[in-house]
C-alpha cells in the first residue's frame, strides 16, 4: 500500500512537472492531483524537488539494472557497448522521457539532491568506462588511448544521440548506428 501510494505521488507529480516545469508545481497541487491530503504527502516527501529526484533516481536505477543484464548477455564487449546504447537511446526516444526532458534538468536540484542524482549518473558513466576497458583488453578497441578519455567521448556521443532522438531527428536505431560507426572509426582496432 505504501509503495503504491508513493508511486502514485511520483506519477502525479511528473504529470504536473511535464505540463508546467519543476519550479511551477506546489506540494498542494501534488496532493490534490494524487488525491491525498497535504499532511499525508509530507509524510512521504519534503518537497516537489525530492519527488522529482526520486523519479529520476528510480529511472536511472532501472536502466542500470537493464544495462547490467544486457551486458551480461553479450560475449563481445563491443556488442555490450552497442546493447547499452540501444537501451539508453530507446528510453531517450520514449514519450515519457521526451515530455519530461524539457521540464526537468538535474541542474535545477539543490546541491544535496543534485549530488545524489549526479552520483547515479556517475555510476552509469562508470559502467560505460568499464565496457571500454573490457573492449580494450579484448583487443576490440585501441589500447593506446586512455580508457577514461575514450569512455568520456562515448558518453558525449551518447549525449548527442539523446539530443537527436529527443528532437525527432533520428530514431534510436539510427542513433546507435551513427554513434557506433563514428566511435569505432576513431577508437576501434581497424
Amino acid at each position: 500500500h505504501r509503495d503504491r501510494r508513493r508511486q502514485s505521488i511520483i506519477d502525479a507529480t511528473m504529470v504536473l512537472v511535464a505540463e508546467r516545469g519543476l519550479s511551477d508545481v506546489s506540494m498542494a497541487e501534488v496532493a490534490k492531483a494524487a488525491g491525498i491530503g497535504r499532511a499525508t504527502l509530507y509524510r512521504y516527501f519534503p518537497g516537489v524537488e525530492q519527488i522529482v529526484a526520486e523519479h529520476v533516481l528510480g529511472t536511472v536505477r532501472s536502466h542500470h539494472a537493464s544495462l547490467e543484464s544486457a551486458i551480461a548477455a553479450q560475449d563481445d564487449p563491443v556488442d555490450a557497448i552497442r546493447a547499452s546504447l540501444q537501451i539508453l537511446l530507446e528510453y531517450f526516444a520514449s514519450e515519457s522521457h521526451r515530455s519530461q526532458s524539457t521540464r526537468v534538468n538535474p541542474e535545477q536540484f539543490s546541491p544535496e539532491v543534485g549530488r545524489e542524482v549526479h552520483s547515479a549518473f556517475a555510476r552509469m558513466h562508470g559502467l560505460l568506462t568499464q565496457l571500454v576497458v573490457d573492449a580494450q583488453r579484448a583487443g576490440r578497441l585501441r589500447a593506446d588511448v586512455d580508457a577514461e578519455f575514450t569512455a568520456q567521448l562515448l558518453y558525449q556521443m551518447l549525449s548527442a544521440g539523446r539530443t537527436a532522438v529527443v528532437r525527432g531527428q533520428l530514431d534510436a536505431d539510427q542513433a546507435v548506428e551513427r554513434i557506433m560507426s563514428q566511435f569505432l572509426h576513431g577508437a576501434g582496432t581497424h
Side-chain angles (χ1 to χ4, degrees), residues 112-125:
E112 179 183 312
V113 172
R115 277 190 295 278
E116 190 174 358
V117 170
H118 286 302
S119 175
F121 283 112
R123 286 191 297 279
M124 191 80 68
H125 180 70

Side-chain angles (χ1 to χ4, degrees), residues 55-71:
H55 169 76
V56 170
L57 291 169
T59 301
V60 171
R61 284 186 213 109
S62 172
H63 283 94
H64 201 3
S66 295
L67 291 173
E68 287 178 333
S69 294
I71 290 165

Side-chain angles (χ1 to χ4, degrees), residues 20-185:
R20 298 200 303 262
L22 176 61
S23 60
D24 292 331
V25 176
S26 71
M27 289 293 274
E29 292 168 318
V30 170
K32 182 178 180 184
I36 59 175
R38 286 187 354 194
T40 301
L41 176 59
Y42 279 102
R43 280 189 227 128
Y44 287 86
F45 296 99
V48 174
E49 175 188 43
Q50 288 79 11
I51 301 170
V52 173
E54 183 62 31
H55 169 76
V56 170
L57 291 169
T59 301
V60 171
R61 284 186 213 109
S62 172
H63 283 94
H64 201 3
S66 295
L67 291 173
E68 287 178 333
S69 294
I71 290 165
Q74 302 297 323
D75 292 328
D76 178 16
V78 170
D79 289 342
I81 291 171
R82 181 183 303 278
S84 298
L85 293 176
Q86 189 74 43
I87 288 168
L88 293 169
L89 287 164
E90 283 175 2
Y91 168 68
F92 295 149
S94 72
E95 186 55 40
S96 66
H97 177 76
R98 292 167 73 148
S99 68
Q100 295 166 10
S101 67
T102 60
R103 298 291 190 166
V104 177
N105 179 348
E107 301 301 322
Q108 293 174 294
F109 295 136
S110 67
E112 179 183 312
V113 172
R115 277 190 295 278
E116 190 174 358
V117 170
H118 286 302
S119 175
F121 283 112
R123 286 191 297 279
M124 191 80 68
H125 180 70
L127 195 61
L128 288 177
T129 302
Q130 187 57 53
L131 288 174
V132 168
V133 168
D134 293 346
Q136 286 178 327
R137 287 182 181 150
R140 298 281 283 131
L141 293 179
R142 292 174 44 190
D144 63 326
V145 181
D146 178 68
E148 180 64 35
F149 179 78
T150 303
Q152 187 62 35
L153 289 174
L154 179 60
Y155 200 75
Q156 294 303 317
M157 293 174 91
L158 174 62
S159 179
R162 176 194 171 277
T163 299
V165 298
V166 165
R167 291 181 179 165
Q169 297 165 328
L170 299 173
D171 65 28
D173 293 336
Q174 292 169 322
V176 168
E177 289 311 311
R178 285 198 186 172
I179 292 168
M180 289 303 296
S181 173
Q182 292 177 12
F183 180 68
L184 292 175
H185 180 74

